[in-house]
Amino acid sequence: MLRVTFLEVGHGDSIVVEVNDEERRVIVVDCNVVRYGGVKRNRTVELLEQLKIKTIDLAVVTHFHRDHCSGFNDIFKNFDVRRLMVPPFLSENQKLFKALRRQVADRLRRSVALTDDGDINDAALGLASVLKFIATQQSRVEEGSGKNGVIGVQGAGQLEIRTHLPLKAMKAILQGLMRGDSDLDTLADVNDSSVVLSLEYRGHTVVLGADSTLGQWTEHRRQMERDGVLSLNADALKVPHHASKHNSNESIYKYLLGDDTAGKFVFVSANGKSHPHDEFFDLVVRLGLQPRCTNLASQCFGANVVRWVPMKDIPPEAAAFITHYPIESAPIQCQGDIVLEIDDNGRTQVSNSTGRGCVYDTQLMQLGAGA
């Protein structure tokens, strides 16, 4: 059995992958901390402790934005991390990395001294802990890159993990950035460096898109087509960059999901305000996708939804609810934590922690059309 949990952590990613096949194996892809009423919570740690996990077989920092790595200090403190995967910026230049760690440590001290902003402190602490792990646990650290590389996880049974992005050319670019005035802002500058994985299990493929960009996918497609591969034909997609307008493109979605996109699941971890964008919902309807979002977006209530879904296509009671929903401002929890499960027979199931449906669900639309 494969279980992929997309945790509701606002505008950020925290993904826990469990496989129970030959043995139980756990993979953590990114880790964002959130603050509710000023109180910090690490949802990834909470879930792992609930599952009584002691060891993480593979942890992945897809890139160095705060909403993807701010919680890794808690991960390293509470669990035995057997392997850490990071973007391809590693170098044999130890002097360079000592200087980088020193700058991050200085930034951490300044942020603690000069601001009460918990998000800034979390970002600094998260990145500092990742760099410390790299410096002190070098044998456990590896780079993630390549258009179709295979990652082995011993004991993972039928699970096969591949890296698709970043392309190897990014290594020189990242190292060049770090030779300059390297600090938190420099490392957070490049979404193009995002490590993108696919999980292949019992005939199904799930792509975890991190904050990958349209430019990287366009080049990836060009290189794969040169090798005779026209599509990744994924069954489900954690959409790139929280469904931003710059990276929600029909040709790329079809490249990732195949020409027959109808009914395929797309998962969005977003804050419900700045992301997801209108362009994403336009694609959802046009391609017949089934979106599952952690937070309620402004496009999903009131008259906004009419732009994409005619009210005649859904049941009258649902239309009335949508049009008159008394929401003051997004975000509020929509799907909450989202779980994708693939059982030993290859059957898939998607559930969520709130039990709420989605107004863009194609099955709901079909029900309304037949009513």
Side-chain angles (χ1 to χ4, degrees):
M1 186 274 296
L2 177 72
R3 179 184 291 117
V4 185
T5 303
F6 305 89
L7 288 162
E8 193 283 297
V9 288
H11 179 75
D13 276 5
S14 290
I15 302 169
V16 175
V17 180
E18 307 163 71
V19 60
N20 280 289
D21 235 349
E22 296 174 3
E23 301 177 50
R24 189 186 200 188
R25 293 289 181 256
V26 174
I27 301 160
V28 170
V29 181
D30 289 336
C31 183
N32 183 40
V33 295
V34 289
R35 290 180 178 272
Y36 299 110
V39 178
K40 170 184 165 183
R41 288 183 64 186
N42 191 317
R43 301 291 314 290
T44 303
V45 170
E46 291 173 9
L47 176 60
L48 293 173
E49 289 180 341
Q50 177 186 332
L51 297 171
K52 303 188 185 309
I53 299 296
K54 303 291 185 183
T55 299
I56 297 171
D57 297 278
L58 175 66
V60 182
V61 180
T62 63
H63 62 298
F64 296 106
H65 274 155
R66 69 173 66 175
D67 58 316
H68 293 258
C69 69
S70 62
F72 272 98
N73 184 57
D74 300 324
I75 293 292
F76 296 135
K77 282 197 309 184
N78 290 282
F79 306 95
D80 175 23
V81 177
R82 289 180 173 173
R83 295 165 64 190
L84 175 69
M85 178 173 286
V86 295
F89 73 102
L90 299 180
S91 167
E92 294 180 359
N93 187 337
Q94 292 301 312
K95 182 178 180 180
L96 171 66
F97 280 92
K98 287 180 180 178
L100 178 65
R101 287 185 59 209
R102 186 166 57 252
Q103 289 181 39
V104 172
D106 289 344
R107 174 68 69 89
L108 175 59
R109 283 190 286 269
R110 290 200 303 272
S111 67
V112 170
L114 299 176
T115 181
D116 293 328
D117 190 324
D119 289 336
I120 293 176
N121 292 335
D122 293 338
L125 189 58
L127 181 53
S129 67
V130 170
L131 293 172
K132 180 180 179 181
F133 190 95
I134 292 171
T136 60
Q137 305 286 336
Q138 293 181 12
S139 63
R140 301 188 184 196
V141 180
E142 59 195 274
E143 295 180 331
S145 67
K147 63 182 181 181
N148 199 28
V150 177
I151 304 171
V153 177
Q154 188 175 7
Q158 296 293 314
L159 176 63
E160 187 172 80
I161 306 172
R162 294 181 181 270
T163 56
H164 297 285
L165 292 177
L167 300 173
K168 291 185 177 180
M170 279 304 301
K171 185 177 180 76
I173 297 172
L174 287 170
Q175 288 186 348
L177 283 173
M178 291 181 62
R179 292 188 189 99
D181 182 19
S182 304
D183 59 16
L184 286 173
D185 297 325
T186 299
L187 285 175
D189 237 4
V190 186
N191 277 334
D192 282 343
S193 69
S194 292
V195 176
V196 173
L197 306 176
S198 68
L199 310 173
E200 300 177 13
Y201 187 76
R202 300 191 182 275
H204 296 271
T205 300
V206 182
V207 173
L208 305 179
D211 277 6
S212 54
T213 63
L214 183 60
Q216 281 279 289
W217 280 120
T218 300
E219 177 59 19
H220 187 278
R221 179 175 60 182
R222 187 189 71 80
Q223 293 187 21
M224 292 292 280
E225 287 178 348
R226 187 178 59 197
D227 296 339
V229 178
L230 301 181
S231 172
L232 298 187
N233 285 313
D235 302 282
L237 169 68
K238 205 294 288 186
V239 300
H241 201 202
H242 316 285
S244 74
K245 63 182 177 182
H246 303 293
N247 301 298
S248 292
N249 174 283
E250 180 172 344
S251 65
I252 294 302
Y253 273 45
K254 285 192 171 183
Y255 169 63
L256 294 171
L257 295 168
D259 286 331
D260 186 10
T261 57
K264 291 191 173 181
F265 285 98
V266 285
F267 305 104
V268 183
S269 59
N271 60 4
K273 288 186 176 180
S274 59
H275 296 89
H277 284 149
D278 289 353
E279 288 78 0
F280 168 72
F281 289 99
D282 179 55
L283 284 176
V284 161
V285 174
R286 192 148 25 102
L287 300 181
L289 301 169
Q290 295 198 63
R292 294 294 182 267
C293 306
T294 56
N295 280 303
L296 180 64
S298 59
Q299 295 90 341
C300 302
F301 61 89
N304 293 300
V305 78
V306 182
R307 294 178 56 187
W308 294 280
V309 184
M311 286 297 158
K312 66 181 179 60
D313 287 344
I314 63 174
E317 61 273 17
F321 173 79
I322 294 165
T323 305
H324 300 96
Y325 193 83
I327 184 171
E328 296 298 327
S329 64
I332 64 171
Q333 255 195 350
C334 186
Q335 302 284 309
D337 300 338
I338 303 167
V339 179
L340 167 66
E341 290 185 334
I342 305 174
D343 69 18
D344 294 342
N345 296 311
R347 293 185 294 257
T348 63
Q349 177 179 320
V350 175
S351 59
N352 64 74
S353 61
T354 66
R356 296 189 180 105
C358 174
V359 297
Y360 293 99
D361 193 312
T362 54
Q363 293 179 352
L364 181 63
M365 295 179 198
Q366 291 166 1
L367 176 65

